[in-house]
Amino acid sequence: MFMRESEGVYEFGSKRVAVKVEKGKISVRVGGGYLSIDEFLDQYTPAELEKLERRDPLKRFSEKVAV
């Protein structure tokens, strides 16, 4: 989920990214260049979901208690 911080700046999970729209296409600044929104989501969503799961205390507790 993208949360807007300011114009063109969004938080995606634990990452802060710059987003721009040119010619009707959404681009996300990563490192020294830009990725299309599709490329960005394909590349970064799995890692951000994993980070969220690691922070979930109920999941960690249930894994330790599971028999």
Side-chain angles (χ1 to χ4, degrees):
M1 177 188 317
F2 285 90
M3 300 292 290
R4 185 174 186 210
E5 291 188 354
S6 62
E7 185 175 342
V9 179
Y10 293 81
E11 189 174 306
F12 179 76
S14 63
K15 298 187 77 58
R16 180 175 291 142
V17 295
V19 178
K20 70 177 183 177
V21 178
E22 281 188 350
K23 299 178 185 175
K25 295 187 179 185
I26 302 171
S27 299
V28 181
R29 183 155 177 88
V30 178
Y34 284 89
L35 293 175
S36 72
I37 188 69
D38 292 332
E39 292 171 319
F40 176 82
L41 291 173
D42 288 344
Q43 187 171 342
Y44 288 96
T45 298
E48 292 302 319
L49 287 174
E50 186 177 318
K51 289 176 189 177
L52 285 174
E53 285 180 11
R54 278 190 264 142
R55 282 194 244 158
D56 184 359
L58 289 176
K59 181 175 172 128
R60 288 197 329 241
F61 178 74
S62 66
E63 288 172 352
K64 289 181 181 179
V65 175
V67 177

